[in-house]
């Protein structure tokens, strides 16, 4: 799976690009991407919050 480049376009163009990217992926690649998103979400949820004064 290639690393995605950051692009800043109109939301409809970005959505079309994401859908096209997903269609080109195999089911295994889609699953790996989903697991990576879930892992990052869990890490953010359980991260220690910095104390503010």
């Amino acid at each position: 799976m290639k690393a995605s480049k950051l692009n800043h376009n109109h939301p409809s163009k970005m959505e079309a690009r994401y859908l096209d990217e997903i269609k080109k992926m195999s089911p295994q690649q889609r699953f790996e991407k989903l697991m990576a998103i879930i892992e990052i979400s869990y890490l953010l949820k359980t991260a220690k919050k910095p104390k503010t004064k």
Side-chain angles (χ1 to χ4, degrees), residues 9-27:
N9 290 326
H10 189 270
S12 62
K13 290 183 181 180
M14 294 297 293
E15 183 178 3
R17 186 178 67 85
Y18 291 136
L19 290 174
D20 187 47
E21 183 180 321
I22 289 170
K23 288 177 184 176
K24 292 178 183 176
M25 291 180 167
S26 70

Side-chain angles (χ1 to χ4, degrees), residues 24-42:
K24 292 178 183 176
M25 291 180 167
S26 70
Q28 178 65 31
Q29 288 173 318
R30 291 180 195 171
F31 179 75
E32 289 172 359
K33 192 169 189 171
L34 175 64
M35 289 296 107
I37 291 169
I38 291 171
E39 183 178 356
I40 290 171
S41 175
Y42 177 76

